[in-house]
Amino acid sequence: MRLVLAEDLYLLRTGLQRLLQDHGFEVIASVDNAPELLRALVDEKPDVAIVDVRLPPTFTDEGLVAAIEARRQVPGLPVLVLSQYVEQLYARELLADRAGGVGYLLKDRVFNDDQFTDAIRAVARGGTVMDPEVVARLMTRRQRDDPLLRLTAREREVLGLMAEGRSNSAIAQRLFVSEKAVGKHCTSIFAKLGLTPSEDDNRRVLAVLAYLNS
Amino acid sequence: MADMEYRLLLTLVALTIGWILAGASMCVLTRALLMACLDQRGRALFLAGPGRLLRQAGQQVVRGVALIAVSAVYLTVFGAYFLTDQSGHANLFGATTNLGAAGWTLVTVLAVAALAAVAPRQAGYVAAIAAGGLGLYLIFVACKFPAQTYDDEWYGWIRDGVDVQGLGALGTAALTAGFILTRRTIVADIRAREAMLSARVDQLTETRAEVVDSAAAELRRLERDLHDGAQARLVALGINLRTAERLIKTSPDEATSLVAECRDTATLALSELRDLVRGIYPPVLADRGLGDAVRALALDCPVLVTTDIRLAGRPPAPVESAVYFAVAEALSNAAKHAQATSSFVRVAFADGMLRAEVHDNGIGGADPGDGTGLAGMERRLGAFDGILAVSSPVGGPTIIAIEVPCDLSSPKTSIS
């Protein structure tokens, strides 16, 4: 799997590069600033990109802005954004094009390399992987007047795990239920959110988006 | 004599306007002269460089001369028309003597009242100059013109040079009054400025002390949090790694579980550092500024928050930060204490003033004095001459309004 890596801190960049190579990823470009990142993404069109939010020259949200811009030029280009912080605001911006293939994780998640590489592969496949902290913060909100109110507590739980990028079998394992039961919950969630089967490919992304926008 | 009445009325009106113009020009000129020794602005300009002071004073003089020119043209054009005597002889100064002492006094009072209404702060100077001018004029008339009366008409009280000696005395009195008034006005002006300055100094001393205290307290808190949190965890991490290193050959299982523990410790340390940084300077605020930071705050708030943010640029970083934390405090109060279910935040900038409002539909009863954290925010805003006002009747709703005077920088350019 061809991968572009953008991280400005040398120690982290080399550490990540080694971890990724150990897991069989081919790092075709490893950059430390936003303009180079944008060029690498648009020119190389990698299978997936791993991008730090804060990059030179401004050291603000350059990485995020470059990732969104690259996806504007190359729709659906899979991008996994890493950051020391997760913000719902940024999660929404990443998901706004509704194209999927987006991940947004805290840098600590790299510690668990198996889950991390699973997340990279999920994003490369067009899935959506949101950090558990984004999901947890959504859970703290009080009930609001929105379509999610029609979901049962269990369905909300399933949707939260879906937002974290887990597959049906992973969700089933986590909730100690059968995969078939999870499938039923998913069907029910899609129906309640008004997502028709014709949108099947994208339904998980749209459901997560509805969840984040609640 | 109807024509005479008409002419006299017109003369009164025309001269009042003329006097206003003349008074205003004198006032501007006087201010130009007083600026150097009295004016706060004058003093600041002098300190910045005498050249700038001279230029500014010069501008005032030019303005005064221009006003005098306007009044001269006015008096020449309209005065010549209104003040023509019956023989048709245009005699500006001669005709004005028809007004006499009482008429001129009336005209002066009218002119001063009109000027005072327009520029109350300058009223003292206006009155002083007008009294002086009137005095000079009356003395001039008393010396020059003979008496003529209109006893049989309604305007008989207006008489021409009634009594040369009386007129002279009145003129002298008016002139003296003008001098006294000038001196008093100047003294009052200086006192008012001094009082204002000393009140400002008191306020600055107080807010500076508060800011220094709270900054020191904040640093102590950070030191303690780092010491007991991330630092302690890093020490534990080092110890565990060393132990794992030692065990790696003899009991690899134990070593593996220790390393896993190290990972958890690192995650915890990172999470603590994240919380710490959020409390100092939230990342979105650093990345995007106040607008998006408040939007992010709204998304994270347990209460449903709608936002209306109108900012064309970024306020200075310390102001952004103070306003952000005040809004955050208000929203957290809405969720925690006010049991609100919805809230509305408006942030806008207009006329050099950054304004933020937080409305909620909770139970109200918030009091900045009872340790809700609002008092701290108020102090923090006070350092920028900002204010925080709370309206929170028991039963709700609560409205918290923040105002900070500042400038906006042009919006950040980003790649797009």
Side-chain angles (χ1 to χ4, degrees):
Chain A
M1 196 174 280
R2 295 162 67 250
L3 187 148
V4 164
L5 174 64
E7 165 64 63
D8 59 315
L9 296 172
Y10 173 77
L11 276 176
L12 279 179
R13 190 170 63 247
T14 48
L16 267 174
Q17 197 166 345
R18 200 168 71 188
L19 184 143
L20 290 166
Q21 279 161 350
D22 286 352
H23 280 82
F25 292 94
E26 183 197 350
V27 181
I28 53 168
S30 168
V31 300
D32 64 358
N33 65 72
E36 273 183 49
L37 166 65
L38 188 57
R39 219 171 306 135
L41 290 181
V42 174
D43 295 348
E44 306 282 346
K45 296 189 184 56
D47 296 324
V48 64
I50 295 178
V51 175
D52 182 16
V53 166
R54 194 167 286 193
L55 286 179
T58 63
F59 293 101
T60 56
D61 57 350
E62 295 277 82
L64 182 78
V65 173
I68 291 171
E69 172 60 18
R71 282 169 61 85
R72 200 181 60 78
Q73 295 184 26
V74 187
L77 180 79
V79 176
L80 173 61
V81 174
L82 288 183
S83 175
Q84 294 281 16
Y85 315 92
V86 285
E87 292 290 343
Q88 292 186 56
L89 189 74
Y90 294 177
R92 286 179 176 210
E93 289 178 6
L94 277 166
L95 288 166
D97 61 12
R98 295 168 161 255
V102 169
Y104 184 38
L105 291 177
L106 276 174
K107 281 188 178 168
D108 330 2
R109 309 299 173 203
V110 178
F111 293 174
N112 192 330
D113 53 351
D114 292 331
Q115 270 185 26
F116 179 58
T117 49
D118 281 351
I120 299 174
R121 292 198 183 90
V123 170
R125 278 195 308 269
T128 307
V129 180
M130 287 295 119
D131 195 273
E133 197 175 306
V134 175
V135 177
R137 284 213 236 157
L138 278 167
M139 291 290 191
T140 65
R141 287 200 213 165
R142 274 179 216 162
Q143 301 269 302
R144 293 177 177 181
D145 180 26
D146 59 46
L148 294 191
L149 283 182
R150 276 175 261 145
L151 302 186
T152 62
R154 191 57 151 188
E155 284 162 357
R156 284 176 72 92
E157 210 172 348
V158 170
L159 185 54
L161 290 166
M162 206 189 285
E164 288 175 19
R166 288 173 207 271
S167 64
N168 281 5
S169 62
I171 295 173
Q173 233 175 354
R174 175 74 170 261
L175 298 179
F176 306 108
V177 295
S178 70
E179 204 175 323
K180 208 175 139 198
V182 174
K184 268 190 191 161
H185 284 310
C186 289
T187 316
S188 168
I189 291 167
F190 296 150
K192 284 180 180 174
L193 295 181
L195 302 170
T196 56
S198 62
E199 293 167 302
D200 197 52
D201 288 348
N202 223 357
R203 273 198 300 184
R204 286 178 95 87
V205 174
L206 294 178
V208 170
L209 198 63
Y211 182 57
L212 282 175
N213 283 339
S214 64
Chain B
M1 287 307 259
D3 180 47
M4 190 65 207
E5 286 176 36
Y6 168 71
R7 238 164 41 89
L8 200 66
L9 271 175
L10 281 181
T11 308
L12 267 173
V13 172
L15 283 176
T16 304
I17 296 170
W19 219 196
I20 289 175
L21 285 167
S25 53
M26 290 305 286
C27 186
V28 170
L29 274 176
T30 315
R31 278 192 67 77
L33 295 174
L34 291 176
M35 225 164 95
C37 51
L38 292 181
D39 208 75
Q40 199 183 340
R41 200 157 62 107
R43 229 173 288 165
L45 281 171
F46 181 74
L47 291 176
R52 277 192 61 197
L53 175 66
L54 283 177
R55 263 203 305 284
Q56 292 264 336
Q59 279 170 11
Q60 292 270 331
V61 172
V62 169
R63 233 179 281 166
V65 171
L67 267 170
I68 287 184
V70 170
S71 36
V73 169
Y74 172 84
L75 282 176
T76 314
V77 177
F78 295 95
Y81 175 72
F82 290 124
L83 311 177
T84 308
D85 61 17
Q86 272 166 329
S87 65
H89 182 67
N91 182 350
L92 185 60
F93 293 104
T96 54
T97 61
N98 284 343
L99 278 178
W104 271 107
T105 311
L106 180 65
V107 164
T108 305
V109 168
L110 286 176
V112 169
L115 267 175
V118 177
R121 274 188 58 217
Q122 270 75 43
Y125 292 111
V126 174
I129 292 162
L134 179 67
L136 283 176
Y137 180 76
L138 291 183
I139 292 168
F140 169 71
V141 170
C143 298
K144 197 159 177 205
F145 296 97
Q148 187 192 346
T149 57
Y150 305 98
D151 280 339
D152 50 340
E153 300 295 340
W154 65 268
Y155 46 86
W157 52 274
I158 300 175
R159 50 186 63 232
D160 204 8
V162 213
D163 165 4
V164 170
Q165 280 166 349
L167 208 55
L170 189 61
T172 313
L175 195 58
T176 314
F179 278 124
I180 294 170
L181 211 51
T182 308
R183 199 185 151 275
R184 295 193 131 206
T185 309
I186 290 172
V187 169
D189 206 9
I190 293 174
R191 294 231 169 101
R193 279 168 208 282
E194 275 175 356
M196 210 172 66
L197 275 175
S198 93
R200 178 80 181 136
V201 168
D202 288 348
Q203 187 213 358
L204 287 179
T205 312
E206 192 185 325
T207 53
R208 188 180 62 171
E210 280 166 355
V211 167
V212 169
D213 284 352
S214 68
E218 185 72 356
L219 286 176
R220 272 196 302 279
R221 187 183 66 80
L222 284 179
E223 191 275 335
R224 215 169 30 238
D225 284 0
L226 281 172
H227 182 270
D228 300 346
Q231 274 179 331
R233 296 206 189 279
L234 285 175
V235 172
L237 201 64
I239 295 170
N240 280 350
L241 279 175
R242 171 68 191 122
T243 314
E245 193 184 8
R246 211 159 16 82
L247 291 174
I248 208 153
K249 282 191 186 130
T250 53
S251 43
D253 286 351
E254 214 176 321
T256 311
S257 82
L258 262 180
V259 171
E261 202 179 298
C262 287
R263 246 182 9 194
D264 292 344
T265 309
T267 307
L268 266 175
L270 278 172
S271 146
E272 281 172 8
L273 285 173
R274 257 198 301 278
D275 290 346
L276 203 65
V277 171
R278 266 189 209 287
I280 307 170
Y281 203 69
V284 188
L285 188 59
D287 292 352
R288 302 273 185 90
L290 186 61
D292 272 357
V294 169
R295 285 189 192 101
L297 207 54
L299 287 176
D300 282 343
C301 188
V303 172
L304 177 66
V305 184
T306 44
T307 55
D308 173 13
I309 292 161
R310 291 168 201 194
L311 289 174
R314 286 186 69 166
V319 173
E320 265 191 338
S321 183
V323 172
Y324 171 87
F325 282 107
V327 171
E329 182 68 29
L331 282 178
S332 116
N333 284 346
K336 265 194 235 153
H337 306 299
Q339 300 159 28
T341 54
S342 79
S343 175
F344 170 68
V345 182
R346 194 201 327 258
V347 181
F349 181 86
D351 308 322
M353 193 68 83
L354 178 64
R355 291 188 175 82
E357 281 166 44
V358 181
H359 302 239
D360 75 52
N361 66 350
I363 56 167
D367 176 9
D370 70 358
T372 46
L374 285 174
M377 297 304 145
E378 196 176 1
R379 274 199 299 277
R380 192 164 171 181
L381 290 163
F384 309 100
D385 289 328
I387 51 164
L388 181 145
V390 179
S391 158
S392 184
V394 173
T398 300
I399 299 173
I400 290 170
I402 297 156
E403 274 193 3
V404 189
C406 67
D407 294 321
L408 283 195
S409 64
S410 53
K412 183 193 89 170
T413 47
S414 58
I415 49 168
S416 56

